[in-house]
Every structure is written in C-alpha cells, then in structure tokens.
C-alpha cells in the first residue's frame, strides 16, 4: 500500500484553512491591543448577519454558548418541552437541558437524517416551547412543514446552523429560516475563528436584545442621574466617561474577542469559495462512488443548497468498514453522531432505546468521509479508491 503524501489530511475532518489575509488581520488587531468585544466584533456581526440576510448578529464564544443564549431568548425553562433531533452533536440538546427544559427527541427522515416533520407533529404537546432543529451535514431541514406546525401554535424555531453557514432552503440562507440561528466557527466547521467561536442571528429585535444582555452578564449601564442607557451602549461602556453598572439577571460571559472576529471577517469573505470547493468534492465523491452495492450516497433535496460540512454515506456493516478503513488504509472515518438520547448523559435523564427507531437504525450504517477544502487531488483519489475497495 502506498500512502499519499497528504494522508494526514484524511485522518480527521479538520477544515481550518488560513492564509496571509488572516495573518494580516490578526496583526492589525494585536497592534490595537487585541480587545475583547470591540469594533471588529461589531463589524463581524453586521457583515455576517447581512450575509445571511437578517438584521441582527451576536458573536459568541461557541455555538454551544449561542444555543444556550437561543434557549434563553425563546424563554425555554423548567416545565417546557423542546423538540429536537437525536442526530447531532450533544451541544444541541444540552442547550435546552442546561436551562431546565425537557428534551423531546423526534425521529429523522431516513434519507436526509434531518428532523422528520411528521414525527415532530406527533410529539408536539401544549408544553412545547421550541423546535430546535439542525441542518445536518450542511443540508437545510424541510422548513415549510416545520413552520406550518410551529407558527399557529406560537412555537419558536431555533436553527442549529453549525454545519450550514451559506446553505440555502428555497433560495434563503440558513440563520433566517426560523426565529434564531446559531453558527459555529470551531476548527472543524466550514469557516473558523481561531479554533473556537460562534454567532447567533435573528430578525427579532426583542430576541436580539434579550440575548445581547445575557451574553454579557445582563449588565446594564446607567448614567449618574439613574437613567438607563440603551443596551447597545452596554456593549462598549469604556467609551463613556462616567457610568454605573447594574445587573438585570444572572447572565453569562459569552463574548467573542476582536482577534477571533478579525479572522472571522476574512473567513466570511472566503466562505462561498470554501463551500464551492466542498460541493465540488461532494460531486466528485458521488460520481466516483455511485453504483457500489451496499453503499448509499447522500440524498440531496431539490429544495436546498447543501454545503457538505460532512459527506455521509451508509454502509451495510459499519463496524467492519470503519475498522478496515483504519487498519488497512490508515483513514479514520467517523460516525457522526451517536444518537443523543442513547448517550449516558441522556439515558441518565430517562431517555431510552426505541424513542427514535429510524435514527437508531441509521446509526448502524452511517459514516462520514473526510471532506474539506484542504484535501489534495492525491488524497481524494486515495480516499475514493479505498472506499471502493472496502465498501
Ligand atoms: C460543532 C457543533 C455544535 C457546537 O459548536 P461549538 O462551537 O463547538 O460549541 C453544535 N451543533 C452542531 C450540530 C455542531 O456540529
């Protein structure tokens, strides 16, 4: 077996790709004393929100933090139910659990592995506060039926867009398809801000203000005459010559730094290019892997623009395939993700096998192949040949 030079690129799906533009942006911030939430953060929030097509953006330390802010935004707490998907990174469900809400896992569509609106409909109760959906692997959910379920009942929709910046449903970008969108800029995501980072989008001024406040400890500034200043002034209190601080509730420090935001601005400008490369790679994978018995390729809905955070295939015997890929080909593939209701954390909260049979069956078969813009032609060739050999 001859391994390609760039074999390390196949070992894990690590998409971060930085160039001289990020380097220059970082140095500029460094020379400006690299503040926390400063002017670069504000600019990044505005540009990212405009990119998605909505008025408000709120940069945060991670999507895990952003999802919790979103749950605060919609007011999910003890006594409420939040319907979510079992197939996601555990942060999605944790956001609701952390606020004391009960998780209700709805099953997925077997083709896309996104939330199945039919099962969501069955799981709605008078206590349902929000539907917390995930645009899994970069493919937006089937939004129309979900919105038809949510809107008349006053149920809020929160989109976990961690896999899907720049993805579209019927021509509209993720982050604008529900009440709140949450993005991740962790190093493995489609764009990155120095290893960690996130951003929350909304078109609702009241939701924005609530999340803005909790991002920064619910801190409020008021002038010496006791007049409260607008919340936006609380973002940059150092610009005021004199102020007092008060705190409206128990909040968090989820602020992004200017260094992350400066890199985020550069990455945002490159995002469409990164996504185009992912889509090109996915098309090549699908072309070269089609027709293999027992290997099911990703289904892409005609309603969406898929940005292929992951390229997820289904194989008959997942364990042997993953093991052979590793031992015989030195390629580590991952199974994204263990259904959340079957993790120890959620079994300990009362969840059980059989809650989501479609997701549980799919988990026996799904495997994500490495896909990211840094892959060389040689590495891609080696990957696809290896999959053909072993699938
Ligand atoms: C990565 C990820 C998160 C969490 O993002 P962080 O920025 O790492 O906190 C949440 N949801 C999904 C679907 C993810 O893939």
């Amino acid at each position: 077996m001859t391994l390609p030079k760039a074999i390390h690129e196949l070992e894990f799906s690590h998409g971060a790709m930085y160039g001289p533009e990020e380097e220059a942006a970082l140095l500029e911030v460094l020379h400006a004393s690299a503040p926390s939430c400063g002017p670069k953060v504000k600019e990044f929030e505005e540009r990212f929100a405009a990119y998605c097509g909505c008025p408000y953006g709120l940069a945060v330390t991670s999507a895990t933090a952003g999802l919790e802010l979103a749950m605060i935004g919609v007011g999910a707490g003890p006594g409420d139910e939040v319907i979510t998907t079992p197939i996601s990174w555990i942060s999605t469900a944790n956001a609701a659990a952390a606020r004391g809400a009960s998780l209700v896992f709805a099953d997925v569509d077997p083709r896309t592995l996104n939330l199945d609106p039919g099962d969501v409909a069955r799981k709605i109760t008078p206590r349902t506060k929000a539907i917390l959906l995930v645009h899994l692997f970069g493919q937006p959910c089937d939004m129309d039926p979900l919105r038809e379920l949510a809107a008349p009942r006053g149920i809020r929709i929160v989109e976990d867009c961690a896999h899907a910046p720049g993805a579209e449903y019927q021509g509209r970008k993720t982050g604008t398809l529900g009440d709140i969108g949450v993005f991740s800029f962790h190093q493995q995501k489609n764009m990155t801000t120095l290893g960690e980072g996130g951003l929350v989008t909304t078109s609702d001024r009241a939701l924005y203000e609530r999340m803005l406040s909790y991002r920064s400890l619910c801190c409020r500034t008021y002038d010496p005459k006791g007049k409260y200043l607008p919340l936006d002034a609380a973002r940059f209190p150092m610009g005021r010559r004199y102020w007092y601080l008060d705190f409206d509730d128990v909040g968090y420090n989820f602020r992004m730094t200017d260094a992350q935001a400066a890199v985020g601005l550069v990455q945002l400008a490159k995002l469409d290019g990164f996504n185009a490369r992912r889509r090109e790679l996915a098309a090549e994978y699908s072309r070269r892997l089609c027709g293999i018995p027992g290997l099911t390729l990703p289904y892409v809905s005609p309603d969406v623009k898929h940005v292929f955070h992951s390229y997820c295939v289904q194989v008959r015997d997942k364990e042997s395939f993953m093991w052979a890929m590793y031992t015989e080909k030195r390629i580590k593939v991952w199974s994204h993700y263990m259904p959340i209701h079957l993790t120890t954390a959620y079994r300990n909260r009362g969840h059980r096998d059989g809650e989501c049979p479609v997701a549980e069956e799919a988990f026996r078969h799904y495997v994500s192949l490495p896909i990211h813009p840094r892959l060389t032609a040689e590495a891609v060739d080696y990957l696809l040949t290896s999959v053909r050999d072993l699938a």
Side-chain angles (χ1 to χ4, degrees), residues 2-44:
T2 42
L3 296 177
K5 277 197 297 293
I7 181 73
H8 60 278
E9 296 285 13
L10 289 172
E11 285 210 349
F12 53 98
S13 182
H14 186 313
M17 201 156 93
Y18 297 128
E21 304 82 5
E22 282 85 352
E23 189 178 330
L26 260 179
L27 277 178
E28 186 195 324
V29 170
L30 195 67
H31 292 142
S33 303
S36 173
C37 236
K40 288 290 179 192
V41 168
K42 195 164 168 55
E43 188 184 343
F44 181 46

Side-chain angles (χ1 to χ4, degrees), residues 62-64 67 88-89 91-92 134 160 162-163 184 186 189 197 337:
S62 67
T64 304
L67 287 162
S88 184
W89 183 237
S91 299
T92 312
V134 180
D160 179 336
H163 294 180
S184 170
H186 176 264
K189 303 300 158 78
Y337 303 89

Side-chain angles (χ1 to χ4, degrees), residues 34-345:
S36 173
C37 236
K40 288 290 179 192
V41 168
K42 195 164 168 55
E43 188 184 343
F44 181 46
E45 290 173 340
E46 285 167 3
R47 289 251 201 106
F48 195 93
Y51 173 82
C52 295
C54 73
Y56 306 111
L58 198 57
V60 290
T61 47
S62 67
T64 304
L67 287 162
E68 197 166 341
L69 277 186
M71 289 297 103
I72 292 170
V74 301
D80 297 323
E81 291 171 356
V82 173
I83 298 178
T84 193
T85 170
I87 306 186
S88 184
W89 183 237
I90 196 167
S91 299
T92 312
N94 283 5
R99 298 304 297 172
S102 301
L103 270 302
V104 175
F105 293 97
D107 216 337
V108 298
D109 177 307
R111 290 185 305 178
T112 60
L113 304 182
N114 269 328
L115 267 183
D116 168 13
D119 203 45
V120 172
R122 283 186 283 278
K123 290 186 170 161
I124 287 176
T125 76
R127 301 202 303 164
T128 306
K129 192 75 171 187
I131 297 169
L132 173 48
L133 56 81
V134 180
H135 302 306
L136 192 70
F137 306 139
Q139 165 150 257
C141 290
D142 189 9
M143 293 303 300
D144 278 347
L146 291 170
R147 284 195 291 236
E148 279 159 27
L149 288 170
R153 296 173 175 85
I155 296 171
R156 299 288 208 159
I157 293 182
V158 174
E159 307 167 73
D160 179 336
C161 308
H163 294 180
E168 293 172 13
Y169 173 80
Q170 295 175 355
R172 274 178 59 188
K173 288 219 165 62
T174 58
T176 65
L177 305 172
D179 296 286
I180 300 176
V182 182
F183 294 85
S184 170
F185 309 127
H186 176 264
Q187 65 194 21
Q188 290 185 359
K189 303 300 158 78
N190 292 36
M191 61 169 273
T192 61
T193 54
L194 301 175
E196 299 283 0
L199 193 138
V200 181
T201 53
T202 184
S203 299
D204 183 318
R205 174 92 203 165
L207 287 178
Y208 167 72
E209 290 195 345
R210 191 167 157 76
M211 295 189 288
L212 173 66
S213 167
Y214 277 85
R215 180 182 69 173
S216 230
L217 297 154
C218 301
C219 180
R220 187 177 279 271
T221 47
Y222 61 104
D223 72 19
K225 295 191 191 80
K227 201 171 124 248
Y228 282 97
L229 301 173
L231 263 176
D232 271 348
R235 298 169 56 107
F236 310 111
M238 302 321 260
R240 301 268 153 190
R241 283 164 66 204
Y242 197 65
W243 68 95
Y244 292 98
L245 297 182
D246 187 14
F247 301 86
D248 293 336
D249 193 8
V250 177
Y252 297 91
N253 173 2
F254 287 157
R255 296 183 300 263
M256 182 182 263
T257 66
D258 256 26
Q260 290 174 299
V263 169
L265 280 163
V266 178
Q267 289 269 301
L268 177 60
K270 296 180 176 179
L271 177 62
D272 285 343
F274 289 156
N275 284 342
R277 181 63 188 141
R278 285 174 182 272
R279 285 161 54 80
E280 210 173 81
L281 284 169
E284 184 178 352
Y285 290 12
S286 293
R287 204 166 49 240
R288 291 176 58 186
L289 295 176
C290 73
I292 302 177
L295 182 76
T296 308
L297 302 180
Y299 167 81
V300 180
S301 154
D303 276 339
V304 309
K305 178 181 176 186
H306 190 321
V307 294
F308 286 96
H309 172 67
S310 280
Y311 185 93
C312 180
V313 299
Q314 301 197 36
V315 294
R316 274 203 207 104
D317 183 350
K318 184 175 88 174
E319 305 299 329
S320 348
F321 174 75
M322 288 178 71
W323 185 245
M325 283 290 277
Y326 187 57
T327 54
E328 291 175 31
K329 307 291 185 183
R330 289 285 156 221
I331 299 173
K332 243 188 236 164
V333 292
W334 293 89
S335 187
H336 289 134
Y337 303 89
M338 173 194 264
I340 297 174
H341 64 291
L342 302 183
T343 60
T344 302

